[in-house]
Amino acid sequence: MIWWLLAAGLPLATAVAFLALSPGAEPRNDAARRLGRVAPLSLLPAAVLAVLGPAAGTVDAPWLLIGATTTLDPVARPLLLTAAVLYAAGLAAAAVSGVRRTAVLSALLLICFVGNATVFVAGDAGTFYVGYAVMSVAAYGLVVHSRSADARRAGRTYLALTLVSEMAVLVALLLVVDAGGTLLADAPAAVAASPHRSTIVGLLLLGFGIKAGTFPLHGWLPLAHPAAPPPGSAVLSGAMIKAGLVGWLRFLPLGEVALPGWGTTLVLLALVGAFLSLVPGVLTDDPKVSLAYSSVSQMGFLGVLVGVALTAPDLAGVCGAAAVVYAVHHGVAKGGLFLSVTVWRLHGAGPLRPYVLAGMALLALAVAGAPLGSGSVAKYAAKQALSPAAVEVVDLAALLPLVGTVSTLLLVRAGVRLLTATRPDSGRLDAAVVSWTVLVLGGTVATWYLAGTAFPELKVPSLDAVTFWDALWPVLLGLGLAAGTWALVRTDRLPTRLVAARVPPGDLLVPVERGALRLAGATARGSA
């Protein structure tokens, strides 16, 4: 039990210390700077727990709140370690990035970590919801941290959708508990047997779909990422949106009953998001917006796995394992890409420039699914899970490799804008580079251990020519399309209107937001 207390209590105590040091002029606050340098160490107990914690079973704390149960099962362990590493890297980057109100930012990161980690290790519905609420509310502070007009707009959108998500999840969990699913291990069977099964499943898909950024509930992501500082963006995309996936894996009746209607609906929506995110993602000048739409596309891939598991109960186990492997890969690699924004701005013009460029390229190739990277392992695991899929309305084997092509195009766009739109300053080797290097290495090789070891039902890809080519051609297709588009732009063979076209971040939410503002204005005039 002492490790559970340290894993949550030490980050919270450090967050309180940061808030106590936040008043005044932070650049001259030596105590805050010293605390910032050691703050990543507060996450060490959580990392140790993830690696060396009990292999099975649960830990009960009846004295905590209304009683809490935690577990370190094959879902919780790798995601807890991923979160600990990613948040530690974010804290290290925040300490040297020069962002305003660093102490407040670091405190928010630590509070978000406690909520995020609680979601991953929760063993009962009450503990899960407490962690989910703490993480969601604290993340609002990350989104609005800069206090700019864009940040406030993004914060309003995030908060509105977060409240919808929390209400949907709360009602669903109350129904799950009423059906006998207080413990998460009992929840899928309780949902399957509940007379309110369809209501519960619909609420779970809605509530956790907002957090996971599933189409058409994804609009907050491309608004929140450019508004939040890079460390906040890294944890938003790398760890927090995985809470939606974990909610699906914990509470949906996967493996208990076939729900082809719900499953096929989720698969189709996830595929639309995976591919449609390409359009607004390339028609933007902000690299963080392109990276955000890349996350929407990648989470669409995960949504397909969950949808297939809903449709075919016999595939639920392997689909769930593949989803966890893919979530670990995406969390580390995409978190590293968002932190690359800070590292590039600090070191892009100095002697570390070639090293930073090489690390960014490795992370981008991993996210795109290039051979030998963590993405290729995750996608190979997903291919195994989906090969006998019972979703007959689409050919998943033909479509899903093209998600790698979409990712490649979005990452090329993000890379071009980052390299050309920023003015990097020289810097010395610091904690940001060290922690970012850990993410580069983890984002390249992390899933080689998980597939085949932590999840023996999954296999790592062989190095034969056929498997190598299967991973390579979607990336080459994306690079070819990017190069062809660049050549057409350079030779003025594309219409000027098309070249200058831009889709506002938030895409589908923009007309909804405008309509809501018009309605509010009309209401105010009518009441006057």
Side-chain angles (χ1 to χ4, degrees), residues 114-172:
V114 172
N116 210 162
T118 301
V119 167
F120 292 157
V121 303
D124 66 274
T127 304
F128 180 97
Y129 186 75
V130 169
Y132 191 78
V134 168
M135 176 195 70
S136 299
V137 174
Y140 171 77
L142 297 178
V143 176
V144 300
H145 185 76
S146 70
R147 299 182 179 178
S148 66
D150 288 341
R152 294 181 188 277
R153 177 199 171 206
R156 288 193 300 269
T157 303
Y158 169 81
L159 196 58
L161 287 174
T162 293
L163 290 176
V164 174
S165 171
E166 290 201 22
M167 290 302 99
V169 169
L170 177 60
V171 174

Side-chain angles (χ1 to χ4, degrees), residues 138-237:
Y140 171 77
L142 297 178
V143 176
V144 300
H145 185 76
S146 70
R147 299 182 179 178
S148 66
D150 288 341
R152 294 181 188 277
R153 177 199 171 206
R156 288 193 300 269
T157 303
Y158 169 81
L159 196 58
L161 287 174
T162 293
L163 290 176
V164 174
S165 171
E166 290 201 22
M167 290 302 99
V169 169
L170 177 60
V171 174
L173 295 194
L174 289 175
L175 291 173
V176 172
V177 170
D178 182 64
T182 302
L183 295 178
L184 268 57
D186 303 327
V191 174
S194 172
H196 307 293
R197 183 176 65 194
S198 293
T199 301
I200 295 173
V201 171
L203 289 171
L204 292 175
L205 292 178
L206 170 64
F208 292 130
I210 291 174
K211 186 63 65 182
T214 305
F215 181 89
L217 308 170
H218 66 286
W220 67 271
L221 269 173
L223 290 174
H225 280 307
S233 296
V235 299
L236 276 169
S237 184

Side-chain angles (χ1 to χ4, degrees), residues 180-348:
T182 302
L183 295 178
L184 268 57
D186 303 327
V191 174
S194 172
H196 307 293
R197 183 176 65 194
S198 293
T199 301
I200 295 173
V201 171
L203 289 171
L204 292 175
L205 292 178
L206 170 64
F208 292 130
I210 291 174
K211 186 63 65 182
T214 305
F215 181 89
L217 308 170
H218 66 286
W220 67 271
L221 269 173
L223 290 174
H225 280 307
S233 296
V235 299
L236 276 169
S237 184
M240 289 191 203
I241 61 176
K242 306 307 184 298
L245 170 68
V246 172
W248 282 340
L249 296 179
R250 296 299 198 194
F251 293 102
L252 286 175
L254 306 180
E256 299 290 339
V257 62
L259 299 174
W262 287 114
T264 302
T265 299
L266 179 57
V267 167
L268 293 177
L269 290 175
L271 286 174
V272 171
F275 290 103
L276 201 60
S277 58
L278 174 64
V279 178
V282 298
L283 296 179
T284 180
D285 289 328
D286 191 328
K288 291 176 71 178
V289 173
S290 294
L291 290 176
Y293 278 109
S294 173
S295 292
V296 174
S297 179
Q298 298 289 317
M299 292 305 292
F301 196 103
L302 284 171
V304 169
L305 287 169
V306 176
V308 169
L310 270 176
T311 301
D314 56 318
L315 299 178
V318 67
C319 281
V324 172
V325 170
Y326 199 94
V328 170
H329 140 70
H330 180 263
V332 178
K334 182 55 69 67
L337 280 174
F338 273 110
L339 283 184
S340 296
V341 176
T342 291
V343 174
W344 174 254
R345 288 172 179 167
L346 290 172
H347 302 284

Side-chain angles (χ1 to χ4, degrees), residues 363-430:
L363 288 170
L365 289 172
V367 172
L372 305 181
S374 63
S376 66
V377 181
K379 290 181 179 179
Y380 186 80
K383 182 180 179 180
Q384 296 177 67
L386 297 176
S387 56
V391 179
E392 300 178 355
V393 295
V394 290
D395 187 352
L396 295 178
L399 284 178
L400 287 182
L402 294 174
V403 176
T405 301
V406 172
S407 295
T408 302
L409 289 167
L410 290 170
L411 293 172
V412 168
R413 179 62 176 174
V416 169
R417 297 311 305 168
L418 180 62
L419 297 180
T420 59
T422 61
R423 295 174 180 240
D425 298 321
S426 299
R428 57 185 175 81
L429 184 67
D430 52 34

